[in-house]
């Protein structure tokens, strides 16, 4: 860890503020307007004949299965699909704000596969015929990136890179180089780390979630967390690119503008409808409020520490995605296979709630864009994950979303160890 960054972070002046209303301010309920409730989903699993339900004009099929918690996917330059298999590596029950909480009573969160698997669909028929272990013996991997002859992977505690040539089906773990350390340790509630490069490959952005709900273990545990970091490809130049983002996971650049966007999981235990997860532009040196403020200028009454100077200019997120939806994956649609409506818009996976009296999320939504900005509210695209709302039963939980070279979508379902493929009904590879 580069000590200079930590010193810079801790040397910020701190003081009390009264944030002024933002012109984009959202009307939200007051904290504790409803009682915070633990309400875990029960995963039922999918029958062989059953799939999620896409909107009219799309086809859904199983792409690959038999994984061990597939969380994230990445497309290599030659069209291979890399699948990061990882988990929280500890018991599902975690103590947050004095409550034992989790994500699903049926999840097995006791270990992590710590593996990346390669899938190759050489004949482009929508079904991979080659499957190989690409890299293993990792530490809770998620984000992947190929840049400048290197394969990068973001473990929970560090970014590593390995020599890579296009078409490789395996990389040599013995030739790995640690690029940069990342904060992890005992209090590491949001353990996933994602990666994306800027337009010319000169910088890499690393999404790092907070170690707790609202800095429950002190601000000292949150150094270089709840932010998006920037590094050069060799790991030098580490700095905080944007901060106050409780748990940014999915990142992508908008078509045309190249602007970086992210989806963020917001805080828990303030009631059913607080706080909305969101999709937002990531502004350089932008501050998004965590832990002091949420969704613009809304003050969290539980955080007693004075807010930092930059909180005076807290950015308001662009799109609300609903409270406790656990919005994780983000992919802009930069292909032509889907109807024009979807071209340039954003697909977002919602893993689903545990802290809401009625389940929320458990679906994939679409946010339309026009001229590089959101042009409408989120709309359901892939549903059918909820089996019985009254009984809190779900078939599965979507996590990551990736657009493949043929323009179809891949959706990981970590609790069922499979990947779904969604294609336009008339596109190649569909089984309609």
């Amino acid at each position: 860890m580069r000590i200079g960054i930590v010193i810079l972070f801790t040397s910020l002046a701190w003081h009390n503020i009264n944030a002024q209303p933002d012109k984009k301010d959202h009307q939200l309920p007051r904290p504790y307007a409803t009682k915070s409730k633990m309400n875990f989903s029960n995963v039922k699993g999918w029958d062989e004949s059953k799939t999620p339900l896409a909107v009219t004009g799309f086809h859904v099929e199983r792409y690959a299965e038999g994984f061990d918690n597939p969380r994230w996917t990445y497309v290599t330059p030659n069209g291979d699909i890399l699948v990061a298999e990882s988990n929280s590596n500890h018991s599902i029950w975690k103590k947050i704000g004095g409550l034992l909480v989790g994500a699903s009573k049926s999840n097995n969160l006791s270990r992590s596969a710590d593996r990346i698997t390669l899938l190759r669909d050489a004949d482009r028929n929508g079904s991979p015929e080659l499957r190989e272990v690409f890299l293993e013996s990792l530490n809770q991997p998620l984000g992947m990136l190929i840049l400048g002859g290197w394969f990068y992977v973001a473990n929970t505690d560090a970014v590593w890179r390995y020599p890579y040539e296009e078409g490789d089906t395996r990389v040599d773990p013995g030739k790995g180089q640690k690029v940069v350390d990342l904060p992890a340790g005992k209090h590491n509630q949001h353990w996933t780390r994602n990666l994306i490069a800027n337009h010319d490959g000169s910088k890499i952005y690393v999404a790092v979630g907070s170690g707790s709900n609202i800095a429950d273990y002190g601000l000292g545990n949150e150094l270089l967390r709840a932010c998006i970091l920037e590094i050069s490809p060799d790991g030098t130049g580490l700095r905080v690119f944007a901060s106050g983002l409780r748990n940014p996971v999915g990142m992508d650049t908008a078509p045309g503008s190249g602007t970086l966007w992210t989806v963020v999981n917001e805080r828990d235990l303030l009631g059913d409808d607080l706080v909305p997860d969101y999709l937002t532009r990531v502004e350089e040196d932008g501050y998004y409020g965590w832990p002091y403020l949420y969704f613009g200028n809304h003050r969290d009454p539980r955080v007693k520490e004075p807010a930092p100077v930059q909180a005076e200019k807290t950015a308001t997120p662009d799109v609300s995605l609903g409270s406790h939806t656990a919005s994780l994956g983000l992919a802009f649609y930069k292909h032509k296979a889907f109807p024009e409506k979807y071209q340039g818009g954003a697909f977002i996976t919602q893993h689903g709630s545990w802290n809401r009296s009625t389940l929320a999320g458990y679906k994939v939504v679409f946010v339309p864009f026009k001229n590089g900005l959101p042009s409408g509210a989120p709309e359901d695209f892939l549903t059918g994950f909820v089996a019985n709302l009254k009984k809190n039963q779900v078939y599965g939980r979507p996590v990551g979303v990736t657009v493949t070279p043929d323009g179809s979508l891949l959706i990981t379902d970590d609790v069922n160890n499979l990947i779904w493929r969604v294609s336009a009904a008339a596109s190649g590879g569909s089984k309609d």
Side-chain angles (χ1 to χ4, degrees):
M1 189 74 67
R2 285 155 174 78
I3 303 301
I5 295 294
V6 176
I7 294 173
L8 174 63
F9 184 88
T10 56
S11 65
L12 291 171
W14 300 79
H15 68 129
N16 285 303
I17 65 165
N18 291 308
Q20 297 301 309
D22 189 287
K23 64 181 181 179
K24 299 184 294 182
D25 188 35
H26 286 240
Q27 295 299 314
L28 299 176
R30 296 178 62 84
Y32 310 114
T34 56
K35 185 178 180 180
S36 184
K37 184 176 181 179
M38 292 185 293
N39 187 31
F40 308 117
S41 61
N42 298 293
V43 178
K44 182 178 180 179
W46 301 93
D47 294 335
E48 283 297 323
S49 60
K50 197 168 189 62
T51 71
L53 304 175
V55 296
T56 301
F58 291 88
H59 174 78
V60 184
E61 61 190 326
R62 293 179 184 235
Y63 180 74
E65 50 195 314
F67 299 98
D68 193 347
N69 289 98
R71 300 282 295 192
W72 221 242
T73 49
Y74 178 81
V75 181
T76 69
N78 67 307
D80 291 339
I81 306 298
L82 300 179
V83 184
E85 300 171 70
S86 55
N87 215 328
S88 63
N89 219 19
H90 57 71
S91 171
I92 182 172
W93 305 103
K94 299 177 288 187
K95 194 169 185 180
I96 303 175
L99 296 175
L100 287 175
V101 302
S104 167
K105 288 183 179 178
S106 300
N107 282 7
N108 173 18
L109 299 185
S110 61
R111 64 180 182 84
S112 178
D114 294 339
R115 176 177 61 238
I116 295 173
T117 296
L118 178 141
L119 304 174
R120 177 170 292 172
D121 176 15
D123 58 10
R124 299 292 188 262
N125 70 343
S127 179
E129 60 275 355
L130 176 67
R131 179 171 179 159
E132 299 281 353
V133 173
F134 184 75
L135 182 61
E136 52 191 341
S137 299
L138 299 168
N139 185 14
Q140 295 176 275
L142 187 92
M144 296 165 282
L145 174 66
I146 291 173
L147 181 66
W150 295 94
F151 170 72
Y152 291 79
V153 58
N155 289 322
T156 193
D157 59 354
V159 176
W160 284 73
R161 68 179 184 180
Y162 305 80
Y164 172 84
E165 292 185 7
E166 186 170 325
D168 281 351
T169 58
R170 179 184 289 268
V171 295
D172 186 348
K175 294 182 179 179
Q177 300 177 3
K178 183 187 289 189
V179 175
V180 66
D181 286 305
L182 298 175
K186 180 179 179 181
H187 302 300
N188 195 32
Q189 178 180 337
H190 301 121
W191 54 271
T192 61
R193 312 289 184 243
N194 197 14
L195 296 175
I196 192 172
N198 66 354
H199 69 284
D200 63 3
S202 62
K203 298 294 181 182
I204 297 173
Y205 302 111
V206 187
V208 181
S210 64
S212 63
N213 184 33
I214 49 167
D216 303 291
Y217 306 105
L219 291 168
N221 186 64
E222 304 295 348
L223 296 175
L224 297 182
R225 296 181 188 261
C227 66
I228 292 176
L229 303 173
E230 179 189 82
I231 58 173
S232 297
D234 63 358
T236 60
L238 173 66
R239 74 181 184 107
V240 175
F241 183 78
S243 59
L245 299 154
R246 179 178 176 269
N247 186 25
V249 184
M251 296 188 293
D252 201 2
T253 54
S257 67
T259 301
L260 180 63
W261 289 73
T262 190
V263 287
V264 176
N265 288 184
E266 254 295 350
R267 66 204 72 196
D268 300 317
L269 307 177
L270 284 178
D272 269 1
D273 299 310
L274 289 178
V275 170
D277 292 348
Y278 59 83
L279 167 69
T280 194
R281 285 167 286 185
V282 181
E283 301 173 355
E284 184 173 3
D285 298 321
Y287 180 72
Y288 295 82
W290 187 90
Y292 314 94
L293 305 170
Y294 57 84
F295 223 99
N297 62 3
H298 298 85
R299 194 68 188 253
D300 191 320
R302 302 167 296 179
V303 182
K304 305 305 181 184
E305 291 85 352
V309 171
Q310 70 263 42
E312 294 177 343
K313 297 181 179 180
T314 298
T316 300
D318 290 274
V319 180
S320 170
L321 298 173
S323 297
H324 310 299
T325 57
S327 298
L328 295 178
L330 168 64
F332 280 100
Y333 196 78
K334 304 172 186 177
H335 292 253
K336 301 293 185 181
F338 284 10
E340 185 177 359
K341 166 184 177 176
Y342 297 98
Q343 295 171 21
F347 289 98
I348 297 165
T349 52
Q350 298 189 327
H351 200 219
S353 63
W354 63 266
N355 187 213
R356 202 169 186 279
S357 59
T358 301
L359 297 182
Y362 300 95
K363 59 186 175 181
V364 179
V365 300
F366 173 75
V367 177
F369 269 64
K370 185 177 181 179
N371 299 323
L373 294 174
S375 58
E379 54 191 69
D380 290 354
F381 177 77
L382 188 68
T383 57
F385 287 86
V386 177
N388 188 316
L389 194 61
K390 291 183 178 179
K391 295 182 178 180
N392 294 330
Q393 289 182 343
V394 300
Y395 293 114
R397 308 186 73 194
V399 186
V401 55
T402 299
V403 184
T404 68
D406 69 2
S408 61
L409 297 183
L410 296 182
I411 311 292
T412 59
D413 182 341
D414 64 338
V415 296
N416 286 291
N417 297 317
L418 62 83
I419 299 173
W420 298 105
R421 178 176 181 261
V422 183
S423 57
S427 68
S430 163
K431 295 182 180 178
D432 283 354

